[in-house]
Amino acid sequence: MMKNLLGIHALVWAGSWNEADREKEIENTAACGYDLIEIPLLEPGTVDVAATVKLLEKYQIEAVTSLGLSRETDISSVRGRAGNHFPTLPFGTGLATFTASGYWVIGPCPG
């Protein structure tokens, strides 16, 4: 039977996703009984994937990621499809617990 996981965004616990805050955010998420943490990819190239995966395993929770896109990089817009503006994500761990997702740009639809 498939389990419906319940999670919380990492920025509930701290104002950034960095080395100083990462463990506290994961530990708090696990301590409150959540199944997963949503990791913001504010600067995708700076995420220490190996350290993050170790902490996820230590606290036995899963993770998903989110990425806010500008109008120029929004994958739903013509401008976003016109070039390769989508950032390269530092993943490839092969772990189902660390996946990448994206948010659409919030605002009016371009005419």
Short mmCIF file of all heavy atoms in Angstrom, two decimals, residues 44-73:
data_model
loop_
_atom_site.label_atom_id
_atom_site.label_comp_id
_atom_site.label_asym_id
_atom_site.label_seq_id
_atom_site.Cartn_x
_atom_site.Cartn_y
_atom_site.Cartn_z
N PRO A 44 21.19 26.39 -6.65
CA PRO A 44 21.36 24.94 -6.86
C PRO A 44 22.80 24.45 -6.82
O PRO A 44 23.07 23.38 -6.29
CB PRO A 44 20.74 24.71 -8.24
CG PRO A 44 19.78 25.83 -8.41
CD PRO A 44 20.38 27.00 -7.70
N GLY A 45 23.71 25.20 -7.34
CA GLY A 45 25.10 24.76 -7.40
C GLY A 45 25.81 24.72 -6.06
O GLY A 45 26.91 24.18 -5.95
N THR A 46 25.19 25.28 -5.03
CA THR A 46 25.85 25.32 -3.71
C THR A 46 25.35 24.23 -2.77
O THR A 46 25.84 24.13 -1.65
CB THR A 46 25.64 26.69 -3.04
OG1 THR A 46 24.25 26.87 -2.75
CG2 THR A 46 26.14 27.83 -3.92
N VAL A 47 24.39 23.44 -3.19
CA VAL A 47 23.84 22.40 -2.32
C VAL A 47 24.84 21.26 -2.21
O VAL A 47 25.28 20.70 -3.21
CB VAL A 47 22.50 21.87 -2.86
CG1 VAL A 47 21.99 20.71 -2.01
CG2 VAL A 47 21.46 22.99 -2.90
N ASP A 48 25.21 20.92 -0.98
CA ASP A 48 26.11 19.79 -0.74
C ASP A 48 25.24 18.53 -0.67
O ASP A 48 24.68 18.19 0.38
CB ASP A 48 26.88 20.00 0.56
CG ASP A 48 27.92 18.92 0.82
OD1 ASP A 48 27.81 17.80 0.25
OD2 ASP A 48 28.85 19.19 1.60
N VAL A 49 25.12 17.88 -1.81
CA VAL A 49 24.22 16.73 -1.92
C VAL A 49 24.65 15.59 -1.01
O VAL A 49 23.83 15.01 -0.30
CB VAL A 49 24.11 16.26 -3.39
CG1 VAL A 49 23.25 15.01 -3.49
CG2 VAL A 49 23.54 17.37 -4.26
N ALA A 50 25.92 15.27 -1.01
CA ALA A 50 26.41 14.14 -0.19
C ALA A 50 26.12 14.37 1.29
O ALA A 50 25.64 13.46 1.98
CB ALA A 50 27.90 13.93 -0.42
N ALA A 51 26.39 15.57 1.79
CA ALA A 51 26.14 15.87 3.21
C ALA A 51 24.64 15.84 3.50
O ALA A 51 24.22 15.36 4.56
CB ALA A 51 26.73 17.23 3.57
N THR A 52 23.85 16.33 2.57
CA THR A 52 22.40 16.33 2.76
C THR A 52 21.87 14.91 2.82
O THR A 52 21.06 14.57 3.69
CB THR A 52 21.72 17.13 1.63
OG1 THR A 52 22.19 18.48 1.67
CG2 THR A 52 20.21 17.11 1.78
N VAL A 53 22.30 14.07 1.91
CA VAL A 53 21.85 12.67 1.89
C VAL A 53 22.24 11.96 3.18
O VAL A 53 21.43 11.21 3.75
CB VAL A 53 22.41 11.93 0.65
CG1 VAL A 53 22.18 10.43 0.74
CG2 VAL A 53 21.79 12.49 -0.63
N LYS A 54 23.44 12.21 3.69
CA LYS A 54 23.87 11.59 4.97
C LYS A 54 22.93 11.99 6.10
O LYS A 54 22.56 11.16 6.94
CB LYS A 54 25.29 12.03 5.31
CG LYS A 54 26.37 11.26 4.62
CD LYS A 54 27.72 11.78 5.05
CE LYS A 54 28.60 10.64 5.44
NZ LYS A 54 29.98 11.05 5.77
N LEU A 55 22.55 13.27 6.15
CA LEU A 55 21.66 13.73 7.21
C LEU A 55 20.25 13.16 7.04
O LEU A 55 19.60 12.81 8.04
CB LEU A 55 21.60 15.26 7.23
CG LEU A 55 22.89 15.93 7.73
CD1 LEU A 55 22.83 17.43 7.50
CD2 LEU A 55 23.13 15.61 9.20
N LEU A 56 19.79 13.05 5.83
CA LEU A 56 18.47 12.44 5.58
C LEU A 56 18.46 11.00 6.06
O LEU A 56 17.50 10.54 6.69
CB LEU A 56 18.12 12.51 4.09
CG LEU A 56 17.86 13.90 3.53
CD1 LEU A 56 17.78 13.84 2.01
CD2 LEU A 56 16.62 14.53 4.13
N GLU A 57 19.53 10.28 5.81
CA GLU A 57 19.64 8.89 6.27
C GLU A 57 19.75 8.84 7.80
O GLU A 57 19.11 8.00 8.44
CB GLU A 57 20.85 8.22 5.62
CG GLU A 57 20.66 8.01 4.12
CD GLU A 57 21.92 7.55 3.40
OE1 GLU A 57 23.02 7.59 3.99
OE2 GLU A 57 21.79 7.15 2.24
N LYS A 58 20.52 9.74 8.39
CA LYS A 58 20.70 9.78 9.85
C LYS A 58 19.36 9.98 10.55
O LYS A 58 19.07 9.32 11.55
CB LYS A 58 21.65 10.91 10.23
CG LYS A 58 21.83 11.11 11.72
CD LYS A 58 22.79 12.26 12.01
CE LYS A 58 22.93 12.51 13.51
NZ LYS A 58 23.88 13.61 13.79
N TYR A 59 18.53 10.90 10.04
CA TYR A 59 17.25 11.21 10.68
C TYR A 59 16.08 10.46 10.07
O TYR A 59 14.94 10.65 10.48
CB TYR A 59 17.01 12.72 10.66
CG TYR A 59 17.99 13.45 11.56
CD1 TYR A 59 19.12 14.07 11.03
CD2 TYR A 59 17.80 13.47 12.94
CE1 TYR A 59 20.03 14.72 11.86
CE2 TYR A 59 18.71 14.11 13.77
CZ TYR A 59 19.82 14.73 13.22
OH TYR A 59 20.73 15.36 14.04
N GLN A 60 16.36 9.59 9.11
CA GLN A 60 15.38 8.70 8.50
C GLN A 60 14.16 9.44 7.94
O GLN A 60 13.02 9.07 8.20
CB GLN A 60 14.96 7.62 9.48
CG GLN A 60 16.12 6.75 9.92
CD GLN A 60 15.72 5.68 10.92
OE1 GLN A 60 14.58 5.58 11.34
NE2 GLN A 60 16.68 4.88 11.31
N ILE A 61 14.44 10.49 7.17
CA ILE A 61 13.36 11.16 6.45
C ILE A 61 13.76 11.28 4.98
O ILE A 61 14.91 11.07 4.62
CB ILE A 61 13.01 12.55 7.03
CG1 ILE A 61 14.19 13.52 6.90
CG2 ILE A 61 12.53 12.44 8.47
CD1 ILE A 61 13.80 14.96 7.22
N GLU A 62 12.79 11.62 4.16
CA GLU A 62 13.02 11.79 2.74
C GLU A 62 13.03 13.27 2.41
O GLU A 62 12.78 14.11 3.28
CB GLU A 62 11.93 11.06 1.95
CG GLU A 62 11.96 9.56 2.18
CD GLU A 62 11.00 8.81 1.30
OE1 GLU A 62 10.81 9.22 0.14
OE2 GLU A 62 10.43 7.82 1.78
N ALA A 63 13.31 13.58 1.15
CA ALA A 63 13.37 14.98 0.74
C ALA A 63 12.84 15.15 -0.68
O ALA A 63 12.93 14.24 -1.50
CB ALA A 63 14.80 15.50 0.81
N VAL A 64 12.29 16.31 -0.91
CA VAL A 64 11.97 16.79 -2.25
C VAL A 64 12.60 18.18 -2.34
O VAL A 64 12.97 18.76 -1.33
CB VAL A 64 10.45 16.86 -2.54
CG1 VAL A 64 9.83 15.47 -2.52
CG2 VAL A 64 9.75 17.79 -1.57
N THR A 65 12.74 18.68 -3.54
CA THR A 65 13.33 20.00 -3.70
C THR A 65 12.38 20.90 -4.46
O THR A 65 11.49 20.44 -5.18
CB THR A 65 14.67 19.92 -4.46
OG1 THR A 65 14.46 19.34 -5.74
CG2 THR A 65 15.69 19.11 -3.68
N SER A 66 12.58 22.20 -4.29
CA SER A 66 11.78 23.17 -5.03
C SER A 66 12.70 24.24 -5.59
O SER A 66 13.77 24.50 -5.05
CB SER A 66 10.72 23.80 -4.11
OG SER A 66 11.32 24.43 -3.01
N LEU A 67 12.26 24.82 -6.67
CA LEU A 67 13.07 25.81 -7.37
C LEU A 67 12.15 26.89 -7.91
O LEU A 67 11.26 26.60 -8.71
CB LEU A 67 13.83 25.12 -8.52
CG LEU A 67 14.66 25.98 -9.43
CD1 LEU A 67 15.83 26.60 -8.65
CD2 LEU A 67 15.20 25.14 -10.58
N GLY A 68 12.31 28.11 -7.45
CA GLY A 68 11.54 29.23 -7.98
C GLY A 68 12.18 29.71 -9.27
O GLY A 68 13.39 29.88 -9.35
N LEU A 69 11.38 29.90 -10.29
CA LEU A 69 11.90 30.30 -11.59
C LEU A 69 11.48 31.73 -11.93
O LEU A 69 10.37 32.15 -11.63
CB LEU A 69 11.38 29.35 -12.68
CG LEU A 69 11.75 27.88 -12.49
CD1 LEU A 69 11.07 27.03 -13.54
CD2 LEU A 69 13.24 27.69 -12.52
N SER A 70 12.37 32.44 -12.60
CA SER A 70 12.04 33.78 -13.07
C SER A 70 11.23 33.67 -14.36
O SER A 70 11.08 32.59 -14.93
CB SER A 70 13.34 34.55 -13.36
OG SER A 70 14.00 33.97 -14.47
N ARG A 71 10.72 34.77 -14.84
CA ARG A 71 10.00 34.75 -16.11
C ARG A 71 10.89 34.25 -17.25
O ARG A 71 10.43 33.60 -18.17
CB ARG A 71 9.46 36.13 -16.45
CG ARG A 71 8.34 36.55 -15.54
CD ARG A 71 7.53 37.68 -16.18
NE ARG A 71 6.47 38.09 -15.29
CZ ARG A 71 5.31 37.45 -15.16
NH1 ARG A 71 5.08 36.37 -15.86
NH2 ARG A 71 4.39 37.90 -14.33
N GLU A 72 12.17 34.56 -17.19
CA GLU A 72 13.08 34.15 -18.25
C GLU A 72 13.40 32.66 -18.22
O GLU A 72 13.77 32.08 -19.23
CB GLU A 72 14.38 34.96 -18.17
CG GLU A 72 14.23 36.42 -18.56
CD GLU A 72 13.45 37.25 -17.53
OE1 GLU A 72 13.57 36.96 -16.32
OE2 GLU A 72 12.72 38.16 -17.95
N THR A 73 13.31 32.04 -17.05
CA THR A 73 13.64 30.62 -16.95
C THR A 73 12.42 29.74 -16.72
O THR A 73 12.56 28.52 -16.61
CB THR A 73 14.63 30.38 -15.80
OG1 THR A 73 14.07 30.86 -14.58
CG2 THR A 73 15.96 31.06 -16.07
#
